[in-house]
Amino acid sequence: MLNRRHIRVKVMQSIYAMHQKNSDELEKEEKFLLQSIDIIQDLYLIMLSSLIEIRNKEIVFLVNSSNKHLATPEEKNPNKKFVNNIVLKHLAENIALNSAIEKRKINNWSMNDDYILILLNEIKKSALYQKYISTNKSSFEEDKQFVVDMFTEVLAPNEKLYDYLEDQKLTWVDDIPLVNTQIQKQLKQFSESVDFRVEKLYKDEEDKEFVSLLFRKTVLNEVELAKEYIDKTPNWDADRIAEIDTIILKMAICEFLKFPSIPIKVTINEYLEIAKEYSTPKSSLFINGILDNLVKEFEKENKIKKAGRGLM
C-alpha cells in the first residue's frame, strides 16, 4: 500500500515536527513516526468496513420497513439489489478482511453509526443509486462497477466522512487519498474467482526499514548535510529559506550520499514532487537548482557511490 514517496512525506513531516518542538528525543520521535505509519492500516480497514456497515444498515432498514404495521406493498417486497450486491456481500463475508478488522479492533462504526446513516442516505439520494436499482436484474460486472462508482463518487469525497476521519487522527489528513486510491484500485481489480486480499502496509521489509533509516540518517547528520548546500545559495539568506525546503534538501542529500541503492534521478524527482505539494510555489525550482549543482560537484569529487546498473 505505502509507496516510497509517501514514506518520504511522513519522514519529512516528522523531522519538521521535531524542529517545531525543538525536540532532540530521537527514539521518541521515531516511535511516533512509526506509529503514525502503522495506523494507516487502521484507516484502510475503517474505509473498507464502512462498505460492510452501509450494507448492514440497509438490511436493517429493509427488515424494519417490511415489519411495519401498515407496510406498503413496496416495503413488504423491496428491491434488494443493493444488499445483494455481489461485491458488497463478498466483503461482508470475507474471512481475511473480517479477521483483520477484529484483530485491529476496528469498531468505529458501531460507535458512530450516525455517519453510516449519513453515507447511506447520500448513496440512496444519488442518481448513481437510482439508476442501479431501476431494475432487479444484475450481473457481476454491473455490481462491481456500481461499488467502484459509489466509492469514488459518493464515499471518498464525502466531507463529513473526511472531517470525522481527520478528527480521529490528525496524521490521517495526508493518508486518506493514499488509502482511497488503494481501495479504488482493489475494487476495480475485484474478481469472482479470487478472494479479496487485505493489502499489507509495506510492500516489503526493505520499505519498512527505509522509514527508520531515512529518518535517523537525516536527523543524526543534519549539521553535516546542511553544510553541503549552505554555500550554494549565495542569493538566499539561510534564514529566509523555507523550513520545509531545508528538510527536503537534507533528506535528498542524505539519499545521494548514504543510500547507494537509490538512483539519483529517483531521489531528485521524488523530492521535487514533494516540494510542489508541501512547500512554496518557487521551492521546486530552487531545490532543483541546488540538487543539480550538488550532484555535479559530488560526482566530480567521487562522493556518490551508487550500487547497481543504471543508478546514475
Side-chain angles (χ1 to χ4, degrees):
M1 185 194 307
L2 279 179
N3 53 50
R4 284 287 179 103
R5 182 177 301 170
H6 201 72
I7 289 173
R8 289 178 172 98
V9 167
K10 301 297 275 190
V11 171
M12 177 195 73
Q13 291 172 334
S14 290
I15 295 174
Y16 180 79
M18 280 188 75
H19 288 188
Q20 295 303 301
K21 294 184 291 185
N22 291 317
S23 171
D24 58 0
E25 297 180 85
L26 183 67
E27 291 188 5
K28 179 182 176 181
E29 300 298 338
E30 182 183 7
K31 183 179 179 181
F32 181 81
L33 166 62
L34 294 173
Q35 286 175 341
S36 74
I37 291 177
D38 180 67
I39 59 173
I40 294 175
Q41 190 75 9
D42 289 350
L43 175 61
Y44 168 73
L45 293 171
I46 287 170
M47 289 302 296
L48 282 173
S49 65
S50 72
L51 293 170
I52 297 172
E53 293 306 320
I54 286 168
R55 175 178 176 268
N56 288 342
K57 278 293 180 189
E58 180 63 2
I59 291 173
V60 171
F61 172 78
L62 294 179
V63 170
N64 290 340
S65 295
S66 65
N67 289 334
K68 286 197 305 188
H69 180 61
L70 297 175
T72 64
E74 185 180 88
E75 288 173 329
K76 288 182 178 180
N77 295 288
N79 185 327
K80 295 183 178 180
K81 188 172 181 178
F82 179 75
V83 297
N84 288 333
N85 181 285
I86 297 169
V87 176
L88 294 179
K89 284 184 70 176
H90 180 92
L91 292 175
E93 297 167 1
N94 186 276
I95 295 173
L97 177 56
N98 282 288
S99 295
I101 289 171
E102 183 178 350
K103 184 178 180 181
R104 303 278 303 197
K105 296 181 174 61
I106 305 300
N107 60 359
N108 296 64
W109 305 128
S110 63
M111 301 171 67
N112 299 279
D113 65 342
D114 50 323
Y115 284 93
I116 294 299
L117 288 171
I118 289 170
L119 295 174
L120 178 57
N121 288 332
E122 288 296 317
I123 292 166
K124 293 172 79 170
K125 285 193 307 184
S126 69
L128 178 71
Y129 176 84
Q130 296 303 323
K131 181 181 178 182
Y132 176 67
I133 64 162
S134 62
T135 171
N136 282 313
K137 294 180 181 179
S138 65
S139 66
F140 172 75
E141 285 304 320
E142 184 192 13
D143 281 2
K144 182 172 85 167
Q145 191 59 53
F146 169 74
V147 174
V148 170
D149 292 341
M150 176 184 74
F151 185 83
T152 305
E153 298 174 22
V154 183
L155 299 189
N158 188 276
E159 290 185 9
K160 289 184 179 178
L161 176 60
Y162 184 92
D163 290 343
Y164 166 75
L165 295 171
E166 185 180 353
D167 287 342
Q168 293 297 298
K169 299 288 181 183
L170 187 58
T171 58
W172 280 346
V173 171
D174 293 300
D175 304 328
I176 294 170
L178 174 84
V179 166
N180 285 342
T181 299
Q182 176 61 44
I183 293 174
Q184 182 190 52
K185 176 184 174 183
Q186 286 187 269
L187 291 173
K188 285 181 177 179
Q189 295 175 344
F190 191 87
S191 168
E192 281 186 284
S193 58
V194 180
D195 271 352
F196 184 88
R197 186 184 68 180
V198 176
E199 195 69 18
K200 293 180 180 179
L201 183 58
Y202 294 99
K203 183 180 72 176
D204 50 36
E205 280 300 313
E206 188 176 338
D207 272 7
K208 188 174 182 179
E209 291 171 0
F210 180 62
V211 177
S212 291
L213 287 174
L214 181 59
F215 178 73
R216 282 180 167 268
K217 287 184 178 183
T218 302
V219 171
L220 292 173
N221 296 282
E222 282 202 81
V223 175
E224 289 75 14
L225 294 170
K227 288 177 182 177
E228 299 290 356
Y229 70 80
I230 205 69
D231 294 331
K232 311 298 187 301
T233 56
N235 299 323
W236 292 77
D237 187 325
D239 293 334
R240 289 176 53 233
I241 301 175
E243 178 91 17
I244 289 292
D245 291 356
T246 66
I247 295 170
I248 288 174
L249 285 169
K250 290 170 189 173
M251 290 174 68
I253 296 167
C254 183
E255 286 192 25
F256 288 161
L257 302 177
K258 301 180 183 297
F259 288 82
S261 65
I262 301 177
I264 289 173
K265 287 182 180 179
V266 169
T267 294
I268 293 175
N269 289 340
E270 288 285 89
Y271 286 109
L272 290 184
E273 290 303 313
I274 291 172
K276 288 176 186 176
E277 186 171 353
Y278 290 93
S279 199
T280 69
K282 295 181 180 179
S283 290
S284 60
L285 288 174
F286 167 70
I287 290 169
N288 189 38
I290 298 297
L291 294 182
D292 275 346
N293 288 333
L294 282 174
V295 167
K296 291 173 186 175
E297 181 181 303
F298 289 162
E299 288 177 342
K300 186 177 180 180
E301 296 174 359
N302 203 28
K303 279 188 174 182
I304 296 179
K305 309 290 184 181
K306 295 293 182 180
R309 293 181 296 173
L311 294 181
M312 303 299 284

